[in-house]
Amino acid sequence: MAKIIISLLIPLLASCSVLNRNARSSVSTMCVDLLSTRVAVDVPTPLCINKENYEEGVIYFVSFNDGTMIFHEGALAGFDVDEYTPLGSEHTKKYKIYWGNENGKFWKKYVGGGVRIYYFDVNKESKKKYDDIIKSIRIRKLWRPKSPASSNE
């Protein structure tokens, strides 16, 4: 009887291990509200999200186990990635993308609609995942009410 049970469990356990190995990581849509835009992007579950407001802008730092992303809108902020020499670029009417390799790690910079989005410090094995994140970017202008006109005029 034990041999029958074991012979039934072995294929079951083997199929579960194959399913688990081929399972995709959990991906969800993350929305980031910057100054005048909302950025929606499909990302795997991040480890840490930090938001920093300053007088001229907003910065989100999003950390994963295999790289980092920055979402930024505003002035006067510079990042180390801005100093990297690009190996290539793509330009359209809506956006510009620059990419390269720095110290054996991959990086990419997306500029569009006043928004800058970066990934950096990414290994070759994870590059496709981050490229897919960049491809999933959706930017929408936020509606902001105009301040009421002064009644003293």
Side-chain angles (χ1 to χ4, degrees):
M1 183 68 165
K3 288 183 180 180
I4 294 172
I5 293 173
I6 291 173
S7 65
L8 292 173
L9 284 177
I10 289 175
L12 176 66
L13 293 174
S15 67
C16 288
S17 67
V18 170
L19 290 174
N20 187 30
R21 184 176 51 220
N22 294 331
R24 292 183 173 234
S25 63
S26 175
V27 175
S28 61
T29 299
M30 178 178 78
C31 291
V32 176
D33 288 340
L34 298 171
L35 290 177
S36 65
T37 58
R38 171 171 286 160
V39 177
V41 62
D42 299 330
V43 297
T45 305
L47 295 176
C48 181
I49 300 173
N50 290 317
K51 178 183 178 184
E52 185 177 320
N53 291 318
Y54 65 101
E55 281 187 39
E56 292 85 13
V58 177
I59 306 168
Y60 280 84
F61 297 96
V62 182
S63 300
F64 301 93
N65 62 348
D66 56 357
T68 303
M69 292 191 75
I70 298 173
F71 296 80
H72 173 259
E73 183 180 23
L76 302 178
F79 306 101
D80 289 343
V81 182
D82 290 321
E83 302 301 318
Y84 295 167
T85 303
L87 296 176
S89 64
E90 174 185 338
H91 300 271
T92 70
K93 289 182 180 180
K94 287 186 165 186
Y95 61 84
K96 297 174 187 170
I97 298 177
Y98 306 92
W99 61 85
N101 188 313
E102 188 73 21
N103 299 322
K105 302 281 186 158
F106 291 91
W107 64 270
K108 190 169 269 190
K109 175 181 174 181
Y110 173 98
V111 180
V115 173
R116 292 185 287 164
I117 301 170
Y118 308 83
Y119 75 67
F120 59 96
D121 201 27
V122 172
N123 292 320
K124 182 179 182 178
E125 298 80 25
S126 301
K127 184 179 179 308
K128 182 186 179 326
K129 176 175 79 173
Y130 285 88
D131 287 340
D132 290 344
I133 292 171
I134 295 291
K135 289 176 188 173
S136 75
I137 292 172
R138 297 169 306 280
I139 298 176
R140 183 178 62 129
K141 291 289 182 188
L142 293 174
W143 179 80
R144 302 273 189 211
K146 293 184 178 181
S147 58
S150 173
S151 58
N152 294 337
E153 296 179 324

